[in-house]
Amino acid sequence: MESYTVKPAVSVRGEISVPGDKSISHRSIMLGSLANGITTVSGFLRGEDNMATLNAFRQMGVVVEDDGTTLRIHGRGLHGLTEPEDMLDCGNSGTSIRLLTGLLAGQSFFSVLTGDKYLRKRPMKRVVTPLAAMGARIAGRAGGEKAPLAITGSKLQGISYSSPIASAQVKSAILLAGLYAEGETSVSEPHLSRDHSERMLKHFGADIVSSGAVATVRGGRELQGRDIVVPGDISSAAFFIVAALIVPGSELLIRGVGVNPTRTGIIDILRKMGGKISLLDEREVSGEPVAELPGRSSELRGIEIGGDLIPRAIDEFPVLCIAAATANGRTVVRDAHELRVKETDRIKAMADNLRLAGVEVEETEDGMIFQGGAVISRFVADSCGDHRIAMSMLIASLVAKGECTINDTECIATSFPNFKALLDQVAVR
Ligand code: S3P
């Protein structure tokens, strides 16, 4: 088991770029593979999750050339994938397994999706149930709730699905199945979740429209290969933003970060807390907004967080916990039940780890309550096999009262392989 023992920082300073957006990287492989012609992808995130998606498509006959900087995907058209000879291993990646379930439901072949011990515990009925309503034939453990999932490709019918949760994985699985369905497929959500699928489907020429929290795709239209430039992942930038805000004397510039409004909840929350962070030089790249993010040390104060801010910051809660713990005053997080079914139960994992660091924190069914003003004592943390828990506790260690240890850190490679190197580059110790 790999672990890191790290010293606190006196400040965080410099200028960095973070690796490519994980969600957009997954989708670039998927749509590039289904398109006609060549798709190039630069800025692709070479984390384990995205490599799992890439390998799955290679197993289905897609040729992807990789010169180390740019991927060249030889698209096979909507109906050009071939039956994989073996199971498709999605590793730790919820996005791979759920989106692939939708995409594979309408193929003319059989496939099996599986993943690591964490992924095999995560709920799959949220995609299996609506896909079955479209005519998909999917079997899995626990009555179709858990992977491995066995998919017998079949003819699909469009549906109009009202999703009980704001989940981009659920929405995207249904929209990808919708590419193969007869007629229109429509998904509505209680709050708009990240809309990278809708944007990229449009970019590739799909027949898709979206309005508010409803997206509708019409099946059958072929996609055309495109050039994709993947922006920096705001979920990766979040660790460094929080570091710059909470460590005194810090000033950090993060370049080329994706600032899609369905993802910028972290910026809105931190600004509400008094965080000094700006968006500069906003521009659009491959259908996605991108900006430079400068941030510096701030006096943070506790706030209440819930409602539509939750899906807009869903992956950032572990690191937001560090900001909330050290801010002045109480922070209440509610409506965040989804955190309990991420790579691990993130409410429990953060509460357990922060208590070990001397933080006063209460778990609720759908969130957490922080009393604020915590002094982080020396701690030994456990990542619970979750990359974002590991990285968040590394950020906590920057303001701790001594050397800290974070155990089980291999998982960081799923989304941010150079995280530790980048942190060591900007943390002045
Ligand atoms: C993702 C959607 C979110 C997010 C995950 C990536 C995606 O999951 O937490 O890290 O790329 O669609 P949910 O759809 O389960 O909210």
Side-chain angles (χ1 to χ4, degrees):
M1 188 176 73
E2 182 190 75
S3 64
Y4 290 134
T5 295
V6 282
K7 291 194 170 68
V10 285
S11 64
V12 173
R13 302 190 78 82
E15 208 179 291
I16 56 169
S17 302
V18 292
D21 186 278
K22 182 152 75 76
S23 294
I24 297 174
S25 293
H26 281 299
R27 288 156 173 84
S28 68
I29 299 289
M30 294 180 186
L31 297 193
S33 297
L34 299 183
N36 293 312
I38 301 285
T39 288
T40 64
V41 187
S42 60
F44 180 74
L45 169 60
R46 286 153 200 281
E48 287 169 4
D49 279 12
N50 294 109
M51 295 316 283
T53 292
L54 179 52
N55 289 337
F57 281 90
R58 282 185 164 145
Q59 278 179 261
M60 293 188 284
V62 179
V63 172
V64 182
E65 296 169 83
D66 183 358
D67 68 4
T69 3
T70 305
L71 300 181
R72 248 176 96 78
I73 305 170
H74 295 249
R76 296 183 62 104
L78 267 190
H79 299 281
L81 298 179
T82 55
E83 185 171 81
E85 283 177 17
D86 203 344
M87 292 206 279
L88 303 173
D89 186 355
C90 299
N92 190 245
S93 174
T95 305
S96 307
I97 197 164
R98 296 203 180 109
L99 271 58
L100 273 168
T101 302
L103 192 156
L104 293 172
Q107 305 297 326
S108 55
F109 54 75
F110 173 78
S111 53
V112 181
L113 295 166
T114 191
D116 69 9
K117 63 179 181 185
Y118 303 101
L119 192 62
R120 293 196 309 271
K121 284 193 192 124
R122 297 183 64 187
M124 295 299 148
K125 274 221 170 127
R126 52 180 60 201
V127 291
V128 169
T129 302
L131 291 171
M134 297 176 77
R137 289 159 64 199
I138 304 166
R141 290 189 306 124
E145 177 64 312
K146 303 232 164 99
L149 298 175
I151 303 166
T152 305
S154 50
K155 264 186 86 64
L156 303 178
Q157 293 294 324
I159 52 165
S160 181
Y161 185 64
S162 175
S163 176
I165 41 175
S167 159
Q169 292 178 357
V170 170
K171 171 174 62 180
S172 305
I174 298 167
L175 292 175
L176 289 171
L179 295 176
Y180 293 90
E182 217 173 85
E184 268 185 12
T185 298
S186 171
V187 189
S188 74
E189 308 183 85
H191 297 291
L192 180 63
S193 65
R194 64 189 68 190
D195 65 355
H196 304 301
S197 296
E198 295 94 303
R199 284 172 185 255
M200 203 184 286
L201 279 164
K202 264 177 218 150
H203 194 58
F204 276 79
D207 188 352
I208 181 165
V209 286
S210 40
S211 161
V214 184
T216 306
V217 69
R218 179 169 279 280
R221 181 171 316 160
E222 290 285 336
L223 308 179
Q224 301 308 325
R226 292 281 185 253
D227 296 325
I228 304 280
V229 178
V230 181
D233 197 327
I234 191 165
S235 297
S236 297
F239 298 104
F240 289 92
I241 297 170
V242 170
L245 266 46
I246 65 172
V247 181
S250 298
E251 186 139 21
L252 192 68
L253 175 64
I254 314 178
R255 292 206 175 277
V257 181
V259 288
N260 179 316
T262 60
R263 297 284 300 282
T264 47
I266 173 78
I267 309 275
D268 296 349
I269 291 168
L270 288 171
R271 278 188 174 157
K272 251 173 105 178
M273 295 177 79
K276 292 175 188 148
I277 168 149
S278 338
L279 262 69
L280 299 181
D281 191 18
E282 258 195 85
R283 64 250 185 214
E284 192 159 309
V285 180
S286 309
E288 289 279 352
V290 177
E292 317 288 302
L293 297 186
R296 59 199 159 92
S297 311
S298 310
E299 281 279 314
L300 297 182
R301 53 182 178 269
I303 58 163
E304 305 228 334
I305 309 167
D308 67 355
L309 264 179
I310 301 292
R312 293 182 55 236
I314 191 68
D315 290 339
E316 286 64 78
F317 280 95
V319 76
L320 271 171
C321 288
I322 313 304
T326 52
N328 291 316
R330 203 160 176 258
T331 293
V332 181
V333 179
R334 56 172 72 90
D335 307 325
H337 190 270
E338 276 296 297
L339 294 176
R340 295 216 179 261
V341 289
K342 292 294 174 189
E343 285 80 332
T344 188
D345 176 344
R346 286 182 171 162
I347 294 177
K348 181 175 182 332
M350 286 310 296
D352 287 350
N353 277 313
L354 285 173
R355 279 191 204 109
L356 292 174
V359 175
E360 218 183 306
V361 50
E362 190 187 317
E363 272 187 53
T364 60
E365 179 48 28
D366 68 346
M368 303 166 93
I369 301 171
F370 295 87
Q371 292 314 320
V375 175
I376 308 281
S377 52
R378 291 182 64 169
F379 61 80
V380 177
D382 174 14
S383 76
C384 308
D386 183 327
H387 53 138
R388 298 200 204 282
I389 304 294
M391 291 186 276
S392 299
M393 292 312 292
L394 271 156
I395 297 304
S397 74
L398 299 176
V399 291
K401 290 291 153 215
E403 217 170 64
C404 299
T405 298
I406 295 95
N407 285 324
D408 197 4
T409 50
E410 288 90 344
C411 52
I412 292 174
T414 60
S415 70
F416 203 160
N418 64 334
F419 174 77
K420 179 68 167 44
L422 219 45
L423 189 61
D424 289 342
Q425 179 191 318
V426 296
V428 182
R429 291 191 162 105

